[in-house]
Each structure stands twice: as structure tokens, then as C-alpha cells.
Amino acid sequence: MTPASFLQYWWRRSLSLLGDLRLAILLLLIIALASIAGTVIEQGQPLSFYQTNYPENPALFGFLSWRVLLAIGLDHVYRTGWYLTLLVLFGASLVACTVTRQVPALKSAQRWQYYCEPRQFGKLALSTTVPHGSLRTLAAALSQNGYRVWYTDNQLYARKGIAGRIGPIVVHASMILILLGGILGSLTGFMAQELVPSGSTFHIQHLIQAGPLAHLPEHWSVKVNRFWIDYTPAGDIDQFYSDLSVLDATGTEVKRGTIHVNQPLKYAGVTLYQADWSIAAVRFRLNQSPVLQLPMAQLNTEGKGRLWGTWIPTKPDLSAGISLIARDLQGTVLIYGADGEFLTSLRQGMSTQINNVTLTLTELVGSTGLQIKSDPGIPLFYAGFAFLMAGVIMSYVSHSQVWGLVTEETLYVGGRTNRAQLAFEQELVAIAAALQAQTAPQTAER
């Protein structure tokens, strides 16, 4: 065996193995199970989370501890090497199946030849004879039913629904596009979260997850022009908004938009979503001082609501002060003394006397919580699903073939289809009945 024939032999064997339906089903099952695990198990959490929720004793199901979970990458399933390998193998299986099965089936459907002998019609699933039938009349009837017809003086071939043979190929191509989109997103996509005070400019830095080939945008930044919250009459949050500007390397605004929940801002393949909010700082004046600003920190309320607080000194030597507590951005704060006693409440723009100092509340500064995502595979996903829907619809189209032959004043008609057998039979029987009805008067005259 020559090296060329040896390589050709193994190439065919490899295609045959990859194109095996049983292998494709097995790979699809493993991918489905891995995807379920990636959905059920929280992804991208810190080590302490998995140590708390997946202890070694007792281990979940007797074996799934945090060590096992991290060792096989179940904390980031969709970016593991073994998961991407499964996607590549499944894609290769689809390609092999398309090359070895679907493309030859399409070529076979496009190849045809006239039937030359009446005995050939006996091999068809449906056939009949029409005495003194006209081949030209049969051709006209088939054309009216959507067939493409070729015929000579005594032979005819017609077909329709070739799209039904193309449909499976389109379905396979769509699945390959979806797999490529998933692989591309896993390798080059990223997700980040930023908590940015109103009026600040930021670069994307705080990554939650990122592919090994991901690149963060370096030549543009985002400015939060303003962040605000709309409240209902009852005091509950109705919606929160961020007015954002995308700035190029020189600080020039290249795009601006106001985002809110379910209304993101997109730029250069990066999408910024409104995800959360916080209180960043309080601005105030003491007596006739300039406007001062102190940061506010979120307090631990053990799940009983969200509160932010800060401490404001009322003496230059920091020996005395007050605590400010806020629960929202509606402009009201609660003031507590050094011993924790409630002193008063204060609204934005108003003043109060505390410890012989006039405190004026100027503003509560909000922070917008942004979730930032980049997934270059999304266009491939959309294209893949569009092709998938088109391919599924095309696959339901019946590929029907009809042959005709005239010998000794007898018209032989036969055909076959790959689906909708009953409808095809009814169609062909109706055509044969119409031909017989047209030839009956001619026979009677003779």
C-alpha cells in the first residue's frame, strides 16, 4: 500500500467514524449534560463560595466536593478545554455527516435519467397506465402542479421540492455556525462589572470572566454624565437610568446614550447594561465651608434592606461627629449622634444645627452598576439560528419525482417521494384520472 493510498484509506475511515450518527448523538448528549451542569452550578464564583456550598464532608452525591468541582472546571464549564473540545468534535461530526451523506444525497437527487422500459415503472412505489395518454398533456398537468419538467417525444421526467434535499445541509450548516459562535465567544469574549459614581469616567477593568484570547478596549473610555432613579408615589424604585458618553483616546465624545434595564448601550462590539446602583458619596457644607464630599459605604443589614452610611466630623480635631444614614437617592438622610441616638432627618438642600455646627445637605451622589459584555460570537449565533429555522422549514418540503413513457399507445406514469406519501399519491392519482378523462372521448370515437 502506497503512502497516498494509506492516507486516503484512513481519511475515509475517519470521515466514516465522525459521520456516524451514534457518535453525533453521544457527543450531543455529553454536551447537553455539561451544559446542564454549567447551568445548575454557579459559574465564576470565588473560591470561598464553592468551599461553603460544596464541602468535602459531606460531598454532594458522595463525590462532588469543591476540590473535584474546581479540578474538572465545573466552575467555568463553558470555557474549559474539554468542553470546547466536545464542541469541535461535534462540529467535525456534522461536517463529516454533511460530506458523506447529505451532499451525495443532494447530488443523487439532481442526477436523473429517463425511463426507457415499462418494467422500470414496476419498481416505483406508485405507478399506473393511461391508454392513449398524451405525454404533452402530462407535462402540462405536472407544470401546473409546480413540477419542473423535461421530456422528449416519448419520455418524461419531472421533479419538484429539491429544497427538501438542501434543507438538511442548511440545518447542519446552521449548527456549525452556532458551534463556531460558542467557541469564538468562549475564547475571545469577556464580562465585567463596574460601579461608577455619577460624573466619573472609567476604563473597563473589573473582569468577572474572560476568554484566553479576550482583549479589553484600551482606546476608549466611558463617562457617566448622570445617574438617577425614578421612584413610584409609594417610594419604591420604578426605574434607574445612566446617561453615558463613550470617549475616544483624546476625550472626544463618539457616542452617547441613556440606558436603563433592558435598554443597553452598544459600541465597538461591547454592550453596557444597567444592572445595579449604589450611593457613592454625600456632599455637604459645614457652616460657610466649601462643598465637601465624603464617600458612603453600604452597611451590613443581614438582608433587611439596603442602607449606606458615613461619619461626618463636627470638630476640627475629629473628637466629635455624627453618622449619616441613607436608603435611597430621594434626598433624605437620617442623622445619629455619637451614642447611636437618633437626632433628626435632613432633606437635600436643607440645613440643621448639630453640635453648634450648621450642616447643609447638598447632594447624595449615586453610583451606577454596569454589567459590560463582549461576545464576538453573537453574530454567528444569530446567523446560525436564522439558517436553522430556514433549514427546518426546507426539510419539510417533499422531494417528488415523476417519470413518463409512451409505448404502443400506452402512457406509463410513475413516481416517488421522500415524505408526504399520501398527498403525493392523491396528486398523482388526480393527474392520471384527468388524463384518462381526456383520452376517454378519443377512445370512444375510435
Side-chain angles (χ1 to χ4, degrees):
M1 181 180 291
T2 63
S5 60
F6 178 78
L7 291 175
Q8 187 177 19
Y9 168 76
W10 280 107
W11 172 250
R12 291 177 178 175
R13 286 293 302 272
S14 299
L15 281 179
S16 176
L17 176 62
L18 286 172
D20 193 322
L21 180 61
R22 292 169 295 181
L23 175 63
I25 293 175
L26 177 62
L27 289 172
L28 188 59
L29 178 61
I30 297 174
I31 291 172
L33 292 175
S35 300
I36 291 172
T39 302
V40 174
I41 298 174
E42 299 82 349
Q43 302 290 288
Q45 299 297 323
L47 175 62
S48 58
F49 174 87
Y50 296 106
Q51 290 175 332
T52 301
N53 292 277
Y54 299 91
E56 294 185 90
N57 188 20
L60 185 64
F61 304 124
F63 73 94
L64 188 58
S65 66
W66 66 271
R67 292 185 185 276
V68 174
L69 188 146
L70 296 181
I72 59 179
L74 292 182
D75 61 323
H76 57 287
V77 171
Y78 307 111
R79 300 180 185 277
T80 57
W82 57 265
Y83 186 82
L84 295 178
T85 301
L86 287 173
L87 296 184
V88 171
L89 285 176
F90 184 58
S93 178
L94 290 175
V95 172
C97 181
T98 303
V99 170
T100 59
R101 298 175 184 271
Q102 302 301 335
V103 172
L106 176 60
K107 290 181 177 180
S108 177
Q110 291 177 312
R111 289 193 301 264
W112 56 271
Q113 60 182 2
Y114 293 118
Y115 280 5
C116 303
E117 299 291 338
R119 59 183 176 81
Q120 292 177 287
F121 289 82
K123 300 178 182 180
L124 296 174
L126 182 64
S127 62
T128 187
T129 59
V130 180
H132 307 288
S134 168
L135 206 63
R136 187 179 298 275
T137 304
L138 174 61
L142 290 170
S143 296
Q144 290 179 355
N145 282 271
Y147 285 84
R148 187 178 180 187
V149 182
W150 296 265
Y151 66 96
T152 63
D153 291 339
N154 65 332
Q155 297 169 313
L156 177 144
Y157 172 78
R159 74 177 182 215
K160 71 175 179 178
I162 195 68
R165 294 294 187 181
I166 301 175
I169 298 177
V170 176
V171 170
H172 284 194
S174 69
M175 297 179 70
I176 292 171
L177 282 176
I178 293 171
L179 290 174
L180 288 175
I183 294 172
L184 182 62
S186 296
L187 293 177
T188 62
F190 68 84
M191 179 185 294
Q193 286 185 346
E194 303 287 346
L195 191 61
V196 188
S198 182
S200 299
T201 301
F202 71 95
H203 287 83
I204 301 172
Q205 294 179 340
H206 299 92
L207 290 176
I208 298 176
Q209 56 187 26
L213 303 179
H215 294 284
L216 295 180
E218 299 177 353
H219 304 295
W220 54 271
S221 58
V222 179
K223 180 180 180 181
V224 181
N225 300 306
R226 183 185 171 218
F227 171 74
W228 73 97
I229 299 178
D230 283 349
Y231 293 90
T232 66
D236 298 322
I237 293 177
D238 181 39
Q239 185 64 275
F240 38 100
Y241 303 86
S242 295
D243 178 12
L244 305 179
S245 291
V246 179
L247 310 177
D248 63 15
T250 64
T252 303
E253 182 180 272
V254 293
K255 188 171 184 178
R256 183 168 183 170
T258 298
I259 68 171
H260 56 82
V261 177
N262 298 326
Q263 182 61 49
L265 175 67
K266 298 181 180 180
Y267 179 76
V270 178
T271 306
L272 296 94
Y273 297 91
Q274 183 70 70
D276 200 1
W277 67 278
S278 180
I279 299 178
V282 58
R283 291 175 179 167
F284 60 94
R285 289 201 310 267
L286 295 176
N287 295 327
Q288 300 300 317
S289 72
V291 175
L292 305 174
Q293 178 172 308
L294 285 176
M296 298 191 75
Q298 187 167 357
L299 307 178
N300 182 12
T301 61
E302 298 180 352
K304 297 179 181 180
R306 304 177 72 183
L307 294 175
W308 288 263
T310 190
W311 185 80
I312 297 179
T314 56
K315 289 187 178 181
D317 60 359
L318 307 182
S319 61
I322 55 172
S323 298
L324 263 63
I325 305 295
R327 61 180 295 271
D328 53 38
L329 290 174
Q330 295 191 80
T332 300
V333 298
L334 303 179
I335 301 176
Y336 292 83
D339 297 329
E341 74 278 12
F342 174 72
L343 299 179
T344 185
S345 62
L346 187 62
R347 290 189 58 81
Q348 185 173 299
M350 300 179 65
S351 303
T352 187
Q353 279 291 128
I354 299 176
N355 296 342
N356 298 320
V357 172
T358 301
L359 171 65
T360 302
L361 180 62
T362 303
E363 183 185 4
L364 288 174
V365 181
S367 289
T368 179
L370 302 175
Q371 185 177 85
I372 305 164
K373 295 177 65 175
S374 174
D375 190 346
I378 289 296
L380 292 178
F381 271 115
Y382 288 154
F385 280 110
F387 276 105
L388 180 61
M389 290 186 289
V392 169
I393 294 173
M394 293 170 64
S395 297
Y396 278 97
V397 176
S398 301
H399 178 237
S400 303
Q401 299 170 285
V402 176
W403 286 266
L405 176 67
V406 175
T407 61
E408 300 178 355
E409 298 186 346
T410 299
L411 173 62
Y412 292 86
V413 181
R416 65 187 177 202
T417 187
N418 65 334
R419 62 174 69 247
Q421 185 71 31
L422 179 60
F424 176 70
E425 291 180 5
Q426 293 173 342
E427 180 182 62
L428 204 58
V429 167
I431 292 174
L435 291 174
Q436 290 175 348
Q438 291 180 9
T439 57
Q442 301 175 8
T443 305
E445 291 176 1
R446 296 179 185 180

